[in-house]
Amino acid sequence: DAGITQSPRYKITETGRQVTLMCHQTWSHSYMFWYRQDLGHGLRLIYYSAAADITDKGEVPDGYVVSRSKTENFPLTLESATRSQTSVYFCASNMGEAGTEAFFGQGTRLTVV
Amino acid sequence: DAKTTQPTSMDCAEGRAANLPCNHSTISGNEYVYWYRQIHSQGPQYIIHGLKNNETNEMASLIITEDRKSSTLILPHATLRDTAVYYCIVRAYNTNAGKSTFGDGTTLTVKP
């Protein structure tokens, strides 16, 4: 399917487990982003990537790892999940040109118990 | 990016105009005002942006004060589907939209 897709849509995991959230886009956008959104609050940038093999930290990177071996994929890994990482995670992408907007996925609701 | 201040919540009657205010008193000369909305915890959706002139598109109008320290998003005829969280963001035009700083926004509830 065309667009940006996240998987899974819902995930429950236990404290201390490793979990990976997937993000796939079909537009060949150079930039991809990961955000978290805690209940009742706005989005906060975790990590972003300007191109394959180029990643950089956002506002709240601690506890997360990203990689970008292919342009179309940008997985987010929680190496040892904590309850404070319970949140909705959004992925987005764009070409990065001035004035262009970002396109968001549908989100992954992660619960850490 | 400049910080913005928005009311936490607002109500609006269906069919009436919804006026959502935003303060951005520390805005720089090269920064634009952007508005987004988020419906039912979907990803944010771009609505409109402007520098200093009033702007209008098919979704909304944006009124920016002459000193650019505040702005108002106007939904001229609000419908129940406009119930959402609205975010006012200030950023330079050449800053990647993906790096936007989202505050807590205004929760607009449109009532029948």
Side-chain angles (χ1 to χ4, degrees):
Chain A
D1 289 350
I4 183 165
T5 55
Q6 295 183 232
S7 61
R9 292 294 311 279
Y10 303 90
K11 177 73 176 179
I12 299 174
T13 192
E14 295 179 340
T15 300
R17 288 193 178 269
Q18 177 176 287
V19 60
T20 296
L21 310 183
M22 303 301 295
C23 180
H24 175 79
Q25 52 102 357
T26 61
W27 293 304
S28 298
H29 284 166
S30 54
Y31 279 82
M32 296 187 74
F33 307 86
W34 274 108
Y35 311 82
R36 61 176 289 173
Q37 184 173 32
D38 301 330
L39 188 64
H41 295 282
L43 282 71
R44 292 185 291 171
L45 184 63
I46 303 171
Y47 269 98
Y48 67 96
S49 169
D53 297 322
I54 300 174
T55 62
D56 208 347
K57 297 178 180 179
E59 180 186 357
V60 288
D62 293 344
Y64 303 95
V65 175
V66 293
S67 62
R68 188 132 179 246
S69 58
K70 294 183 178 181
T71 300
E72 61 267 30
N73 297 323
F74 191 37
L76 176 74
T77 298
L78 289 68
E79 293 191 305
S80 179
T82 65
R83 290 195 179 90
S84 65
Q85 292 177 309
T86 292
S87 190
V88 179
Y89 290 84
F90 288 98
C91 178
S93 71
N94 69 10
M95 284 304 295
E97 296 162 345
T100 59
E101 287 304 315
F103 297 86
F104 286 81
Q106 289 297 93
T108 294
R109 185 176 296 275
L110 176 68
T111 302
V112 183
V113 298
Chain B
D1 292 343
K3 180 179 173 60
T4 62
T5 304
Q6 300 177 251
T8 301
S9 63
M10 296 181 63
D11 291 342
C12 177
E14 187 178 20
R16 304 296 293 269
N19 297 288
L20 292 90
C22 179
N23 287 320
H24 31 78
S25 59
T26 60
I27 191 169
S28 300
N30 68 335
E31 290 180 320
Y32 284 66
V33 180
Y34 291 81
W35 283 84
Y36 297 80
R37 72 180 182 184
Q38 189 175 23
I39 298 174
H40 297 309
S41 295
Q42 298 175 17
Q45 174 190 22
Y46 164 82
I47 301 173
I48 197 169
H49 74 279
L51 181 63
K52 56 183 178 180
N53 297 319
N54 297 339
E55 302 288 344
T56 296
N57 63 20
E58 65 278 5
M59 292 181 67
S61 294
L62 173 60
I63 308 298
I64 302 174
T65 58
E66 190 169 347
D67 63 8
R68 302 209 321 123
K69 293 184 177 182
S70 65
S71 60
T72 301
L73 178 74
I74 301 172
L75 308 178
H77 306 286
T79 70
L80 299 179
R81 289 176 295 178
D82 291 322
T83 292
V85 179
Y86 288 78
Y87 298 99
C88 170
I89 291 169
V90 174
R91 71 170 188 262
Y93 188 73
N94 59 358
T95 296
N96 193 313
K99 298 181 185 178
S100 295
T101 299
F102 289 84
D104 293 343
T106 296
T107 298
L108 175 68
T109 303
V110 180
K111 299 185 175 181

